[in-house]
Amino acid sequence: MMRLHHVQVACPPGGEDAARRFYADGLGMTEVDKPVDLVARGGCWFRAYDDAGAVAAELHVGVEDPFAPARKAHPAFVLDDLGAFDEVAARLRDLGFEVDESQRGTFPGHVRFHTSDAHGNQVEVLAVSA
């Protein structure tokens, strides 16, 4: 059996606080400590947990110099319900992030929006539609 452990995106040197604002404050993920051997590299790690407390998603933000944002390749996070989906979209907008819902109904069985983190990396957020 194979399963996904994590997805990594990049930020420029010193970009960790801006990443925290998007992934923790905006998406509602929890920052977790990096292994001691990796702390000196910079960056930060985030997890989302399911209702039982198991890890549902993990994202690593690594420092890249020179930095170039991922504008096409992207992580996609799925939320349990439309209420949570709308709450995340509103929270991101309140933090000043653009939320593009122009493709909201274009993925069968889901609603979705696209946004970019504080460094321009594309992120997709989905919820199962009824």
Side-chain angles (χ1 to χ4, degrees):
M1 175 182 90
M2 182 184 300
R3 61 187 175 93
L4 183 65
H5 183 273
H6 70 273
V7 172
Q8 181 162 329
V9 298
C11 75
E16 291 88 352
D17 285 343
R20 289 179 181 102
R21 188 167 172 267
F22 181 83
Y23 292 102
D25 299 343
L27 291 185
M29 298 180 84
T30 300
E31 184 172 2
V32 296
D33 292 334
K34 292 179 64 172
V36 173
D37 292 346
L38 301 179
V39 170
R41 296 180 184 182
C44 42
W45 292 8
F46 301 91
R47 288 186 185 144
Y49 298 92
D50 66 17
D51 291 338
V55 175
E58 185 164 328
L59 181 124
H60 298 176
V61 179
V63 174
E64 193 171 85
D65 189 16
F67 168 74
R71 298 189 192 284
K72 181 76 173 172
H74 62 277
F77 299 102
V78 63
L79 296 164
D80 290 336
D81 61 66
L82 292 174
F85 176 85
D86 291 335
E87 287 173 16
V88 168
R91 197 165 51 238
L92 287 168
R93 285 186 180 105
D94 288 347
L95 289 168
F97 294 101
E98 182 179 333
V99 174
D100 176 2
E101 293 192 58
S102 65
Q103 296 181 36
R104 183 178 175 104
T106 61
F107 195 97
H110 297 78
V111 293
R112 66 180 178 162
F113 67 78
H114 292 88
T115 186
S116 294
D117 71 12
H119 304 295
N121 296 301
Q122 182 173 254
V123 175
E124 182 175 356
V125 177
L126 304 101
V128 176
S129 59

